[in-house]
Amino acid sequence: MATFRENIVIMPQTVACSNRDLDLKHLWHGNLQHRGLELRPPLEVTSADGCYVVDSEGRRYLDGMAGLFCVNVGYGRREIVDAVATQMSQLAYYPLTQSHGPAAQLAGRLAELLPPGLGRVFFTNSGSEAVETAFKMARQCARQMHPGENRYKIVARHRGYHGFTMGALSATGQSVRRAAFEPLVPGFLHVPPPDPYRCSFCCKQPGCSLVCADEIERVIRMEGPETVAAVIAEPVIGGGGVFPAPDGYLERLRAICDRYGVLLILDEVITGFGRTGKLFGFEHSGIRPDILTFAKGLTSAYLPLGATVASEQVFAAFQEESDSSKFVQVSTFGGHPSSCAAALANIEILTRERLWENSATLGAYLLEQLRGIRSPWIGEVRGRGLLIGMELVSDENKTPLPEPRMVQLLGEFREAGLLVGRNVGSAPGYCNVLILSPPLILSREHADTIVAIATQALGRR
Ligand SMILES: Cc1ncc(COP(=O)(O)O)c(C=O)c1O
């Protein structure tokens, strides 16, 4: 009888089966119910250029999500491909237990782009790992900065998303994503996010009262500041339904953190590298964080790479006399030379073309046009730069549009040639936000196409 390995030679499965068959038989997709998947198989994308992707049947779609909030400079940038090929030929790999040029150069480039004093870079492979790293740094730093205290708690917000690994998931304020894996890591606390449309503190009055920010102070005081290491926030909550920090919110967070000796971590995995109309999301405010996390737009997803950037003050806490003050963490692939080369080429494009400016201009235009659609279902259109959410409701009481209708709408957009996202699994009963996060090279014509398709799908008929 042939062993399973002999079959590989006799019958190469990959030749006999289509990609779709192999996918349905062997691939395990996250966030997808596989039962019945044959009837609604995932889109098989085979090529892409600029703002468009092409599927295996040759259909072209305007990618309103830049993949997954990440292909910021658009698809098909030869410059990045060449930089990676050159790097791979010269040095395919070396770990950062020692050093190599691409990582050093990228760390230096990031430090140039960030405010002075915020330039100590630890490389990872993904956003989740960048966030894990931030939590570990914050806990160790807090203990070393405040000897005798036990600062380990992290305050995060409901609706925020910080990743799929256990620590990052513990910070994620989306119960639907967490439930199957609980209990998670102890020490993570959640407060309400800024959500002027539904805010239980101030949605009935004009303007934001920032009580949601003050909730963070209340939690720190109630828990005891000597137990709290850090606060984490996205400058604009992205996948959780697009909630931009209101004016003054990040400043309030900074002041609260300073008052209690708590570190401020800003998760810029989505908002970094031009997405919100500035190079970094925190630039919309007058503050800077103690720790920053990046991924996605860092390489525009040409290769995987994440980064955790600490302030010099945080870094200094790891340089005490004793060896145990060092940060003990090793990543085999984090800061891979090819990924760093991709990031350097990507940042060169992003800064040469000043794509955050296009993000600001086209984002404002798109927001205005989408707000102008007369529709019984559009409750609120909100966003910053090219990160836009459309909260859909079924009546004047803001009842969220039901799940089946949301799914149907996504299908209608796709049929019309536009790929949009949605806040899947982020809040029970409130997965009713359509999300747009296209490549930052979006043109006015692309924006008009998006508005025309949205009007067709959502407009009053
Ligand atoms: C704000 C934020 N943080 C962290 C992550 C996790 O990143 P990754 O999927 O690269 O692990 C994401 C992913 O969408 C994110 O949006």
Side-chain angles (χ1 to χ4, degrees):
M1 201 174 89
T3 68
F4 73 95
R5 238 177 259 293
E6 281 167 51
N7 282 340
I8 291 171
V9 181
I10 298 162
M11 172 75 177
Q13 233 191 0
T14 44
V15 176
C17 298
S18 69
N19 288 341
R20 174 165 296 182
D21 291 342
L22 287 167
D23 177 306
L24 291 172
K25 201 162 170 210
H26 294 295
L27 257 180
W28 191 340
H29 297 274
N31 263 11
L32 260 192
Q33 175 51 263
H34 275 247
R35 181 183 286 271
L37 203 58
E38 322 75 64
L39 301 175
R40 43 175 177 80
L43 192 69
E44 185 193 335
V45 172
T46 50
S47 64
D49 192 34
C51 288
Y52 287 89
V53 300
V54 178
D55 75 8
S56 52
E57 280 154 24
R59 286 203 61 189
R60 236 168 139 242
Y61 304 87
L62 179 55
D63 184 2
M65 279 299 289
L68 206 50
F69 306 92
C70 50
V71 189
N72 289 11
V73 298
Y75 297 94
R77 294 284 196 162
R78 194 72 231 172
E79 217 172 314
I80 303 180
V81 178
D82 290 344
V84 170
T86 306
Q87 181 54 48
M88 279 194 156
S89 319
Q90 193 186 325
L91 176 70
Y93 172 72
Y94 208 71
L96 284 182
T97 45
Q98 299 293 328
S99 191
H100 54 71
Q105 283 161 31
L106 179 57
R109 187 74 182 107
L110 289 172
E112 272 173 9
L113 296 173
L114 288 163
L118 190 59
R120 210 37 93 150
V121 187
F122 195 105
F123 287 117
T124 62
N125 302 290
S126 66
S128 299
E129 287 183 21
V131 169
E132 293 292 336
T133 303
F135 293 153
K136 289 167 73 180
M137 275 179 189
R139 283 185 169 182
Q140 188 176 346
C141 173
R143 287 182 173 135
Q144 284 167 194
M145 270 182 170
H146 306 274
E149 297 182 350
N150 185 20
R151 290 183 178 252
Y152 67 96
K153 293 175 189 164
I154 311 276
V155 185
R157 284 105 42 89
H158 287 131
R159 314 279 311 232
Y161 181 73
H162 298 292
F164 67 86
T165 48
M166 288 305 246
L169 188 62
S170 305
T172 294
Q174 305 182 358
S175 59
V176 182
R177 282 179 192 265
R178 300 155 47 106
F181 314 111
E182 288 174 337
L184 297 173
V185 180
F188 287 83
L189 308 159
H190 293 92
V191 298
D195 176 9
Y197 184 59
R198 296 185 185 274
C199 178
S200 50
F201 300 117
C202 64
C203 74
K204 296 212 164 51
Q205 68 188 56
C208 170
S209 64
L210 294 182
V211 174
C212 56
D214 291 338
E215 268 297 284
I216 292 179
E217 177 164 32
R218 197 184 62 79
V219 167
I220 293 173
R221 288 170 68 108
M222 285 295 154
E223 295 289 324
E226 70 286 355
T227 69
V228 182
V231 169
I232 184 164
E234 297 162 81
V236 179
I237 290 178
V242 185
F243 299 97
D247 287 349
Y249 180 90
L250 289 179
E251 285 83 350
R252 186 72 64 96
L253 249 54
R254 179 73 270 177
I256 293 168
C257 288
D258 289 346
R259 201 170 302 139
Y260 298 100
V262 167
L263 297 171
L264 177 60
I265 304 169
L266 290 184
D267 182 351
E268 296 240 21
V269 166
I270 286 182
T271 54
F273 301 96
R275 173 59 55 203
T276 68
K278 303 265 188 198
L279 191 51
F280 304 112
F282 70 85
E283 292 177 49
H284 291 281
S285 72
I287 63 121
R288 63 186 64 163
D290 301 298
I291 301 178
L292 262 174
T293 56
F294 297 138
K296 299 192 190 264
L298 173 57
T299 59
S300 286
Y302 277 68
L303 280 176
L305 186 67
T308 308
V309 185
S311 70
E312 286 305 328
Q313 221 178 351
V314 167
F315 182 65
F318 292 82
Q319 294 175 83
E320 290 164 9
E321 288 270 307
S322 84
D323 195 45
S324 64
S325 74
K326 71 184 177 197
F327 185 54
V328 183
Q329 176 167 298
V330 176
S331 168
T332 302
F333 295 131
H336 193 286
S338 308
S339 300
C340 292
L344 282 163
N346 172 60
I347 290 171
E348 166 63 26
I349 294 169
L350 206 80
T351 49
R352 189 176 65 225
E353 299 181 9
R354 301 181 71 79
L355 288 180
W356 59 92
E357 291 177 358
N358 195 51
S359 172
T361 311
L362 265 294
Y365 175 72
L366 201 48
L367 203 63
E368 189 193 314
Q369 298 297 309
L370 292 171
R371 281 181 175 154
I373 298 176
R374 278 172 48 77
S375 161
W377 296 299
I378 300 178
E380 185 180 55
V381 184
R382 53 183 182 251
R384 192 154 286 157
L386 282 171
L387 179 55
I388 294 177
M390 301 174 78
E391 176 145 1
L392 304 183
V393 294
S394 43
D395 57 34
E396 283 169 3
N397 297 324
K398 303 184 181 176
T399 307
L401 206 65
E403 179 78 14
R405 181 74 183 113
M406 290 297 298
V407 173
Q408 188 192 355
L409 268 173
L410 245 64
E412 286 176 22
F413 276 89
R414 181 166 141 182
E415 270 306 301
L418 171 64
L419 302 178
V420 298
R422 179 164 80 96
N423 64 326
V424 180
S426 63
Y430 289 93
C431 295
N432 59 324
V433 184
L434 286 183
I435 300 180
L436 285 165
S437 173
L440 308 185
I441 53 169
L442 200 81
S443 68
R444 183 87 170 228
E445 291 69 36
H446 293 136
D448 289 337
T449 302
I450 292 174
V451 175
I453 292 173
T455 307
Q456 179 68 25
L458 297 168
R460 198 178 283 282
R461 287 173 227 200

